Amino acid sequence: MTTVFSLVVFCLSCGKKADPHCPRISYPAAVSDLNAIIKGENIELGWTVKEKDADSLRLRILRSELKTEGDDCSGCPRRYFLIAELSFRDPKLRWAGENRVTCLDAGVRGGYLYSYKILICNASGICSDESNVAEMKFP
């Protein structure tokens, strides 16, 4: 009797019910129009926000610096470092119109080529693809 019961339970609980699947993940839209200009002693980054609910998103700014004179290898791969993680309500960000955002990078030095990328991340930490690269040589 025990054998029959075990066999029935095993047969009813065994087998493939359905393929597992992850819930649909919504990635924030990537920035595609990042640009950089010299603004006094700083570099100003500007881009367009495509998400309608920018209040729930966070921004990650990545920077790479390369000496324009000297030892740095111009053909070597660039290494980007996180220089800021901000909410879209942060006072460091300036809104120009409804969807245009600017931000100043005050940590720049003369004689360097700066490259920037931006990631937009949602509240769950899921980030967009990297933005286009914006470069600016600081004199």
Side-chain angles (χ1 to χ4, degrees):
M1 185 68 152
T2 307
T3 306
V4 173
F5 179 73
S6 297
L7 186 58
V8 169
V9 170
F10 177 73
C11 290
L12 292 176
S13 65
C14 175
K16 183 175 170 181
K17 306 288 189 257
D19 288 334
H21 61 85
C22 294
R24 208 165 250 211
I25 297 174
S26 176
Y27 292 91
V31 171
S32 60
D33 63 345
L34 178 64
N35 65 352
I37 61 171
I38 294 176
K39 197 79 153 198
E41 298 294 317
N42 307 304
I43 293 179
E44 181 182 75
L45 303 174
W47 65 94
T48 304
V49 175
K50 298 177 184 173
E51 297 286 332
K52 293 182 180 178
D53 187 22
D55 290 339
S56 67
L57 301 174
R58 295 193 63 74
L59 165 73
R60 292 182 182 168
I61 302 174
L62 306 171
R63 180 179 73 190
S64 175
E65 62 182 21
L66 180 67
K67 273 188 178 178
T68 55
E69 305 283 332
D71 304 340
D72 282 356
C73 173
S74 61
C76 293
R78 305 292 296 268
R79 292 181 45 192
Y80 287 85
F81 298 95
L82 181 68
I83 61 166
E85 184 167 350
L86 310 167
S87 77
F88 277 95
R89 292 183 180 179
D90 195 296
K92 294 177 184 174
L93 298 179
R94 301 279 185 236
W95 289 87
E98 195 172 305
N99 293 348
R100 189 77 184 157
V101 181
T102 61
C103 180
L104 289 178
D105 180 9
V108 295
R109 302 178 285 173
Y112 282 83
L113 172 68
Y114 290 95
S115 297
Y116 298 91
K117 294 179 187 179
I118 288 181
L119 297 167
I120 307 294
C121 304
N122 65 22
S124 300
I126 297 171
C127 297
S128 68
D129 290 332
E130 293 178 342
S131 70
N132 61 299
V133 174
E135 289 191 327
M136 179 56 56
K137 181 180 176 185
F138 201 75

